[in-house]
Amino acid sequence: PSESPEMLNCFVDRRGGFRQRRGVERWNATSIAAGAWAPRNQHCTPQSDGGFHVFVATNNEVWAADEGGTFVDTLVGGTADPHEADFASWGDVTYMALGKGNPTSTWDGATATALVDPTASSGAGFNDDETAPVGGHAPTGDLVCEHNGRLFVGGIQEDGVAMPNRIRWSHPLEPGDWRTDDYWDIEIGGGKITAIVSQTDRLLIFKSNAVFALYGSTLDDFELQTVSRSLSTVSPASVTQSESAVVFFSRAGGRSAIFALAPDTLDLLSEPIELRPRPDPRH
């Protein structure tokens, strides 16, 4: 008589009261009409007016919505493998790395703008004078990240030549200007660069079979340190960040597991439980 077995979707708090469990509400006002729904990556850029822009890379297209939930086609295509597009926030503008062969672009909330590749022989070229910014440039690549006031692009293509282990960085505080010699080829560890993530004073560089950390702010004081030669991640979509750690999925060496990488520690969070045959009770 004192039980309530039919009270579904309710919580009992520690004080003995009841409250209804929160449900799920559709947020977006319009569906993403991108053919087959096959999302590969997403990103959110907070805006200075308190709003935000949400991006979804799906079916080799990039769609964007503001806090109103109405998605629009940015009219840019992403072909980076396997995540299609990578994103970086810079103020109210979002930079989109769309894969080799597609110009890196920006989104200001209404219009996508293709940036000139400074490495292309037909382009306007590099700007080696950091005191005279021009803007409007960015290398073509698979990955993009803001770190220490610079824009980094990784897995790039230079004048039609793929360089999967090269990263380039912009002028300080000028994401549209790039110097000729501001790049680093990270060939050690084999494979290719699969993700770049900013963490405190270091840029984490994930490769197919290793993880490295880049310290410093200029080519003259950069220092590359090894984090792991046995872990990796498959794309920027398999990496996320909390206040205390970068959490990533790794399947290097046939071991599928999730790890948390803090500035001073590397911890295993979870891995599959191996299913073994039950022992025969007759033995």
Side-chain angles (χ1 to χ4, degrees):
S2 61
E3 294 181 356
S4 300
E6 297 298 328
M7 293 185 67
L8 303 178
N9 297 319
C10 289
F11 286 112
V12 180
D13 62 35
R14 289 174 293 181
R15 294 168 294 183
F18 295 92
R19 61 185 176 88
Q20 187 176 12
R21 182 178 297 153
R22 295 193 178 197
V24 177
E25 181 181 2
R26 180 188 177 100
W27 167 71
N28 57 305
T30 59
S31 298
I32 297 177
W37 174 242
R40 291 292 180 267
N41 203 6
Q42 61 80 34
H43 177 76
C44 181
T45 297
Q47 300 294 292
S48 58
D49 61 3
F52 56 85
H53 291 158
V54 172
F55 300 85
V56 176
T58 178
N59 200 34
N60 299 121
E61 299 175 347
V62 177
W63 289 69
D66 59 17
E67 62 273 15
T70 300
F71 274 96
V72 296
D73 189 351
T74 63
L75 302 180
V76 298
T79 58
D81 184 26
H83 54 282
E84 297 188 0
D86 197 18
F87 307 91
S89 302
W90 192 287
D92 287 346
V93 176
T94 303
Y95 282 77
M96 302 179 288
L98 303 168
K100 301 174 181 67
N102 302 309
T104 297
S105 301
T106 61
W107 178 258
D108 60 5
T111 305
T113 301
L115 303 176
V116 177
D117 185 354
T119 73
S121 57
S122 59
F126 293 98
N127 177 12
D128 290 332
D129 185 357
E130 292 187 346
T131 66
V134 176
H137 295 73
T140 295
D142 295 335
L143 309 164
V144 65
C145 177
E146 181 278 323
H147 175 66
N148 281 353
R150 298 178 186 264
L151 192 69
F152 283 74
V153 175
I156 66 177
Q157 175 176 290
E158 298 205 356
D159 201 14
V161 179
M163 297 183 174
N165 284 304
R166 175 167 291 188
I167 59 172
R168 282 192 173 274
W169 52 92
S170 70
H171 291 192
L173 304 180
E174 296 292 343
D177 290 272
W178 305 72
R179 294 201 317 162
T180 306
D181 295 332
D182 283 349
Y183 70 88
W184 201 327
D185 292 320
I186 305 175
E187 302 289 350
I188 57 176
K192 67 175 184 177
I193 299 175
T194 58
I196 51 176
V197 180
S198 177
Q199 185 188 51
T200 60
D201 63 338
R202 63 181 183 175
L203 180 73
L204 295 176
I205 302 170
F206 293 85
K207 298 192 65 177
S208 305
N209 304 289
V211 183
F212 298 95
L214 184 66
Y215 294 87
S217 57
T218 67
L219 183 61
D220 295 332
D221 65 0
F222 274 151
E223 178 185 356
L224 190 68
Q225 294 185 8
T226 301
V227 176
S228 173
R229 288 297 185 100
S230 60
L231 302 178
S232 69
T233 202
V234 293
S235 82
S238 58
V239 183
T240 189
Q241 201 163 13
S242 70
E243 289 294 329
S244 58
V246 170
V247 180
F248 64 98
F249 168 77
S250 174
R251 64 182 184 189
R255 182 186 184 188
S256 298
I258 298 176
F259 294 86
L261 179 57
D264 299 316
T265 59
L266 176 60
D267 299 315
L268 172 66
L269 295 185
S270 68
E271 62 182 339
I273 299 175
E274 296 183 4
L275 298 179
R276 296 183 174 88
R278 297 177 63 182
D280 190 333
R282 297 172 296 179
H283 298 291

